[in-house]
Amino acid sequence: SQQGEEDPQALSIQEGENATMNCSYKTSINNLQWYRQNSGRGLVHLILIRSNEREKHSGRLRVTLDTSKKSSSLLITASRAADTASYFCATAGRRALTFGSGTRLQVQP
Amino acid sequence: ETGVTQTPRHLVMGMTNKKSLKCEQHLGHNAMYWYKQSAKKPLELMFVYNFKEQTENNSVPSRFSPECPNSSHLFLHLHTLQPEDSALYLCASSHPVRGQVETQYFGPGTRLLVL
């Protein structure tokens, strides 16, 4: 069954603006991960947050996790045209990751 | 460059053909995965291998046959596929910690078209 569900499905912003994507999931998790995919290519890992963590930063990325609400958010600050891609959250179970449908981010120069 | 390579990058095959997809990881990981990504669908897990042993088969039709000869190589053998099997097939590897799934490293994928 599908675990992560991203919101919004698509997002279009101007360069320099911040982009926020949300992910909701249904069952308990060990960790939650965010990945990025450029059109038709493989996924690239961005950040992993464990179930006992609430917030994590990596460069211009900020991820939060609320296990009581079963939700996570990814914030990209000061976006660039090169950030244009699809972003996926993935919840980690015992054996594998379960991915959501993704958010397509378009950053206009 | 993630350390995971996949060949071929593109493949067109007829429904009666037999072909194989290859994945190789240079990261020293002991878990490898096959995923299918179809248009407008979430990434679907197909198979999981840990230390060359298959630990997950996500109800994949038998026309897809995985093979893992060692921890660095993973194959997906294809035969008598259907047009709906056209998709991007992604391989990934990881190093589970205390049995938990950690960061996965993906290859660039094989874009498959079944005619």
Side-chain angles (χ1 to χ4, degrees):
Chain A
S1 63
Q2 188 173 320
Q3 229 336 11
E5 193 66 44
E6 287 92 341
D7 170 59
Q9 290 188 341
L11 180 60
S12 182
I13 59 175
Q14 295 296 122
E15 213 166 20
E17 294 180 339
N18 294 343
T20 299
M21 289 158 263
N22 302 296
C23 170
S24 59
Y25 57 93
K26 294 176 182 165
T27 61
S28 61
I29 59 171
N30 297 311
N31 63 67
L32 185 144
Q33 303 177 31
W34 285 90
Y35 288 80
R36 164 198 166 122
Q37 184 180 34
N38 287 79
S39 181
R41 303 221 175 157
L43 279 70
V44 175
H45 178 260
L46 295 176
I47 199 163
L48 180 154
I49 186 164
R50 302 196 182 279
S51 57
N52 62 353
E53 296 176 311
R54 292 296 167 260
E55 189 171 311
K56 207 160 183 180
H57 297 255
S58 177
R60 293 184 296 113
L61 306 181
R62 173 179 168 250
V63 167
T64 62
L65 179 64
D66 187 334
T67 53
S68 66
K69 295 181 179 177
K70 292 187 168 59
S71 68
S72 174
S73 69
L74 170 67
L75 169 67
I76 303 174
T77 59
S79 63
R80 304 166 182 168
D83 294 329
T84 294
S86 291
Y87 292 82
F88 298 88
C89 71
T91 50
R94 278 200 313 122
R95 290 204 186 101
L97 296 178
T98 303
F99 285 83
S101 303
T103 293
R104 290 184 307 279
L105 174 65
Q106 176 79 39
V107 181
Q108 308 284 354
Chain B
E1 189 62 51
T2 61
V4 180
T5 58
Q6 287 187 246
T7 54
R9 294 293 307 277
H10 301 273
L11 180 61
V12 179
M13 58 187 289
M15 289 190 284
T16 58
N17 291 159
K18 287 185 181 180
K19 296 285 183 184
S20 295
L21 310 185
K22 179 183 175 182
C23 175
E24 184 174 358
Q25 57 99 357
H26 310 274
L27 302 168
H29 292 160
N30 50 36
M32 295 187 77
Y33 311 78
W34 279 118
Y35 289 91
K36 175 185 178 182
Q37 188 177 34
S38 306
K40 300 182 181 178
K41 278 187 173 183
L43 213 64
E44 298 172 66
L45 177 68
M46 299 176 74
F47 301 103
V48 181
Y49 278 82
N50 266 290
F51 292 103
K52 304 187 300 177
E53 299 298 320
Q54 188 181 120
T55 56
E56 189 91 13
N57 176 338
N58 199 21
S59 303
V60 180
S62 59
R63 58 186 184 270
F64 294 91
S65 175
E67 179 190 359
C68 189
N70 54 61
S71 292
S72 299
H73 294 86
L74 186 63
F75 295 89
L76 188 62
H77 304 299
L78 317 171
H79 63 99
T80 58
L81 294 193
Q82 305 298 311
E84 60 264 29
D85 296 323
S86 299
L88 182 67
Y89 288 85
L90 292 163
C91 172
S93 71
S94 73
H95 186 74
V97 174
R98 292 186 295 276
Q100 308 299 334
V101 178
E102 296 286 314
T103 299
Q104 292 191 0
Y105 294 82
F106 283 81
T110 295
R111 174 71 62 185
L112 173 66
L113 177 61
V114 181
L115 301 177

